Amino acid sequence: MLPKRVIRRGEKENILKKENPDITKAKGVFKPKKQETIAIIGGKNKRKEYVIKIIKKTLRSKKQCLILVPEIFHAFELSEQIRKIFPGEEISLIHSKVAKGKIYRDWKKIKNNDIKIIISTKVGVFLPFYGLGAVVAVEPQDVSHKQSEAMPRFNAVFAAEFLAKNHQAKMLFSGSILPITNYPDSEGRQPTVINFRKKIAEPKVEVVNLALEKKKADFPISEVLYQNLARSINSKKQSIVLVNRKGLSTFSKCQSCSQILKCPKCKKALVYFEEHEEYRCLHCSHKIDLLSSCPNCGGYQFSHYGIGIQMVEKKLKNFFPSVVVSRLDSDVMKSSKKYKRIKDDFESGKISILVGTQIAVRDITGKNLSLVGVAAVHDFFNLPDFGTREAALSSLFQAKDLLDKDGTLVLQTFLPNDPVISYLGSEDQESFLENEMKFRKKMNYPPFKKIIKLVYRSDSKKNAVREAKKIFDDMMNGGDNNIEISEPYESMSSGKRGLFLINILIKIPPDKNLADFSIFPIVRGLKKGWAVDIDPVSII
């Protein structure tokens, strides 16, 4: 796992020829004790205060502290805050965009215990720690902690747990909700839970049934959301409106033949982006201009359906022309300058309404924020995946935690009776965990089973299906009663960039490894085109 730059420089300086000291015997480094795991949940500020206390305690013991964050911009922002609190400490910021020379210098200092505070994305778990005293995983359920598309495929949170146990360090999960895969497992083990959310008064939650609003001209801005936005503006307060889909709509349909406009490469629905006057595929780089004709009948008139972020932004600008309405989504994030400008303008009060995807609740803070509205809550949990409801509840709690007790959270949805919404309004997370664990146990999902996902990619669908069927048959013929193997099925990402993807799921006991079973030689011998993903964050 050593970076090539480190190996090359290390060979020059001869540092890699020296034997690493046995850190378990190093004087003053370890006092053997029972390893402690803590889960802290609630608002970002309260959780951050607790983490700061842990860092101070770790520094007093002359040990190191690793803080794992999901994204690069999280790492940068947190490092700036930590530097102000610990001005005398050298702090290492590690992520994929940091210059290789800087990583090399920090790598040596971390190895020599000269740097005590390390803030990093998932690559940080491979650093040569001298003696960890604490490991903090921020929003551990965030899928960005998992490296799924390149080797080595790993979950940084699971790796962090391994590091903490190996160093007898405190392991902290800091998130908006308890991470289910780290909550009571099949053996009943669980972390100590510190719930800051229970200690404060909660903002008001209003649920709007979008089915009653669909035929109104102002859809998807309901009367409830409009009135709350107007009240916020009149009080000189700020609002965030969350939309989980990019573009103007979800899909476009030909008015002549009712054919949905699809990407010729991916076969996914094209999304209309009004500001560029073009239709784009969100799965690949394909795009067509506004004047393109229907490939089925040649028609030029299309109707737009679904709720997209640009639609909501356009409506709000029309409703409230006297205030600043801005948008924050992944397109904006491509420009660090534009992102920083919008973030600074919102936090300074220049922006009255921020329309954003989940990025907005993860990265934006505002002391003057009185309202968070969710344009279509059901878009957060409509994927048939085992982690969807956990991710949805996490995102919605992050939105709620931005507000103080006098704030309002407006949830618009076609599914007003969905249990996720009731858990959010009642703060009854224990019931959510209990029901989710029952469901996962019944379906043999983590943490009750370990999942290995085999993925075969090919530019030929026929070839993909044939190869997957062959491997499935081989594994079934040499299978084991203690494992479960699914029949091959097409991935929801199939067709992306012209590649067809077929998945096979293998479920094994959580305390076992794939090498313990008779099918291991088959998996180990998979040919080019196959990928093996252990502990995937998605099975679709």
Side-chain angles (χ1 to χ4, degrees):
M1 294 303 174
L2 294 181
K4 292 180 180 178
R5 186 69 166 262
V6 172
I7 294 173
R8 287 197 297 267
R9 290 198 179 190
E11 288 171 346
K12 291 179 181 178
E13 299 181 15
N14 204 30
I15 62 169
L16 294 183
K17 292 182 179 178
K18 297 180 181 178
E19 292 185 2
N20 290 324
D22 183 353
I23 59 173
T24 60
K25 297 179 181 178
K27 185 177 180 181
V29 175
F30 288 116
K31 292 181 179 178
K33 62 179 181 179
K34 185 179 179 181
Q35 194 265 337
E36 186 178 8
T37 302
I38 302 171
I40 49 177
I41 60 175
K44 286 190 288 187
N45 291 335
K46 285 290 183 182
R47 288 188 280 122
K48 195 181 298 177
E49 289 174 8
Y50 188 89
V51 170
I52 294 300
K53 290 180 181 178
I54 294 296
I55 294 175
K56 289 179 177 177
K57 188 175 180 180
T58 304
L59 292 179
R60 286 197 295 270
S61 65
K62 301 187 183 305
K63 293 183 181 180
Q64 295 169 313
C65 181
L66 169 65
I67 306 175
L68 276 180
V69 293
E71 303 277 5
I72 290 175
F73 40 84
H74 293 153
F76 178 78
E77 186 175 281
L78 183 60
S79 69
E80 292 297 302
Q81 296 169 353
I82 298 293
R83 288 180 206 279
K84 293 176 182 178
I85 300 170
F86 301 96
E89 285 289 333
E90 185 174 0
I91 296 169
S92 177
L93 175 62
I94 302 291
H95 55 74
S96 60
K97 302 298 183 184
V98 175
K100 292 182 175 64
K102 175 69 165 59
I103 290 180
Y104 168 71
R105 291 190 293 272
D106 283 7
W107 193 92
K108 285 182 63 179
K109 290 181 179 180
I110 292 168
K111 181 175 180 290
N112 294 328
N113 202 28
D114 295 329
I115 293 181
K116 300 290 195 301
I117 303 175
I118 302 96
I119 300 169
S120 175
T121 54
K122 51 183 170 282
V123 297
V125 297
F126 299 121
L127 293 169
F129 299 103
Y130 182 79
L132 279 171
V135 180
V136 183
V138 178
E139 297 297 347
Q141 75 290 329
D142 195 304
V143 296
S144 296
H145 283 298
K146 176 66 191 282
Q147 181 160 295
S148 301
E149 296 301 321
M151 291 293 288
R153 292 177 175 85
F154 68 99
N155 188 315
V157 176
F158 294 165
E161 288 185 271
F162 176 84
L163 280 172
K165 290 175 182 177
N166 195 43
H167 286 260
Q168 287 292 294
K170 284 183 184 293
M171 181 69 223
L172 282 83
F173 302 111
S174 171
S176 50
I177 66 170
L178 289 170
I180 289 178
T181 50
N182 306 104
Y183 199 62
D185 58 20
S186 56
E187 296 180 10
R189 297 172 300 206
Q190 61 181 9
T192 301
V193 178
I194 300 174
N195 190 348
F196 288 114
R197 195 174 284 118
K198 287 186 174 181
K199 301 177 183 179
I200 59 173
E202 289 293 318
K204 180 181 179 183
V205 177
E206 294 190 45
V207 180
V208 178
N209 187 347
L210 278 180
L212 305 177
E213 306 284 335
K214 192 173 182 180
K215 295 183 179 180
K216 296 181 180 179
D218 296 337
F219 179 85
I221 309 300
S222 66
E223 180 66 20
V224 171
L225 181 56
Y226 175 85
Q227 292 295 340
N228 275 283
L229 286 166
R231 194 177 300 118
S232 177
I233 291 170
N234 292 335
S235 303
K236 301 192 181 305
K237 296 284 188 177
Q238 293 172 289
S239 305
I240 293 177
V241 179
L242 291 180
V243 188
N244 206 33
R245 293 184 182 274
K246 291 168 61 178
L248 188 76
S249 59
T250 306
F251 62 92
S252 298
K253 185 185 291 186
C254 177
Q255 292 182 3
S256 300
C257 68
S258 297
Q259 182 83 9
I260 294 176
L261 193 59
K262 292 184 177 182
C263 172
K265 298 178 181 178
C266 304
K267 307 303 179 185
K268 307 294 184 184
L270 292 174
V271 175
Y272 180 53
F273 285 76
E274 189 176 45
E275 61 183 323
H276 299 290
E277 295 189 334
E278 64 186 15
Y279 294 92
R280 288 189 208 164
C281 176
L282 300 182
H283 297 268
C284 70
S285 57
H286 182 76
K287 61 181 70 172
I288 60 175
D289 61 43
L290 177 62
L291 300 177
S292 297
S293 62
C294 173
N296 186 53
C297 70
Y300 286 92
Q301 298 296 321
F302 297 92
S303 298
H304 307 304
Y305 297 87
I307 301 173
I309 191 169
Q310 291 184 2
M311 173 195 288
V312 174
E313 179 191 20
K314 183 179 180 180
K315 292 260 185 180
L316 292 177
K317 284 182 175 179
N318 290 335
F319 289 151
F320 305 105
S322 62
V323 301
V324 179
V325 178
S326 294
R327 172 167 49 90
L328 181 61
D329 58 16
S330 58
D331 287 341
V332 174
M333 293 295 294
K334 292 175 183 176
S335 169
S336 57
K337 288 183 179 179
K338 192 173 183 180
Y339 163 72
K340 189 176 187 307
R341 176 174 56 79
I342 291 176
K343 186 176 185 298
D344 291 345
D345 285 352
F346 185 81
E347 294 179 354
S348 66
K350 293 179 182 178
I351 296 173
S352 294
I353 303 175
L354 182 65
V355 186
T357 54
Q358 295 179 55
I359 296 168
V361 295
R362 290 191 308 190
D363 305 329
I364 298 295
T365 56
K367 297 179 181 178
N368 202 31
L369 184 66
S370 67
L371 171 69
V372 175
V374 185
V377 175
H378 50 273
D379 281 344
F380 284 81
F381 49 81
N382 62 358
L383 289 176
D385 213 342
F386 74 90
T388 295
R389 303 176 78 76
E390 179 186 12
L393 192 63
S394 173
S395 295
L396 295 174
F397 264 123
Q398 288 180 55
K400 188 177 181 181
D401 289 336
L402 291 173
L403 300 162
D404 60 26
K405 61 183 178 63
D406 298 318
T408 302
L409 176 66
V410 177
L411 305 175
Q412 299 188 155
T413 178
F414 286 111
L415 304 170
N417 297 319
D418 191 278
V420 169
I421 295 175
S422 65
Y423 295 135
L424 185 72
S426 66
E427 292 297 321
D428 189 11
Q429 194 182 339
E430 287 77 11
S431 293
F432 168 75
L433 285 166
E434 182 180 345
N435 291 331
E436 188 73 6
M437 293 296 277
K438 286 179 181 177
F439 167 73
R440 292 195 180 197
K441 187 172 185 178
K442 179 181 178 181
M443 300 300 294
N444 284 333
Y445 287 145
F448 300 100
K449 291 289 184 178
K450 180 186 290 187
I451 293 180
I452 297 94
K453 182 170 73 170
L454 309 183
V455 185
Y456 186 69
R457 292 173 170 84
S458 174
D459 56 7
S460 166
K461 185 174 182 178
K462 184 178 179 180
N463 177 55
V465 172
R466 183 174 60 248
E467 172 65 15
K469 178 69 166 57
K470 175 184 178 300
I471 294 301
F472 171 74
D473 290 342
D474 289 345
M475 289 192 295
M476 291 301 292
N477 291 333
D480 190 305
N481 292 332
N482 292 319
I483 64 176
E484 179 184 333
I485 305 173
S486 77
E487 291 194 9
Y489 61 96
E490 190 169 353
S491 167
M492 284 191 68
S493 300
S494 188
K496 187 175 180 180
R497 297 183 179 89
L499 290 175
F500 295 93
L501 279 65
I502 304 294
N503 298 338
I504 298 175
L505 290 187
I506 303 170
K507 296 178 182 179
I508 65 176
D511 58 341
K512 298 289 185 180
N513 293 311
L514 192 59
D516 299 329
F517 299 94
S518 59
I519 65 169
F520 180 65
I522 299 172
V523 177
R524 184 176 57 184
L526 290 173
K527 68 179 186 180
K528 184 179 180 181
W530 281 100
V532 181
D533 188 0
I534 297 176
D535 299 317
V537 293
S538 172
I539 61 173
I540 60 175

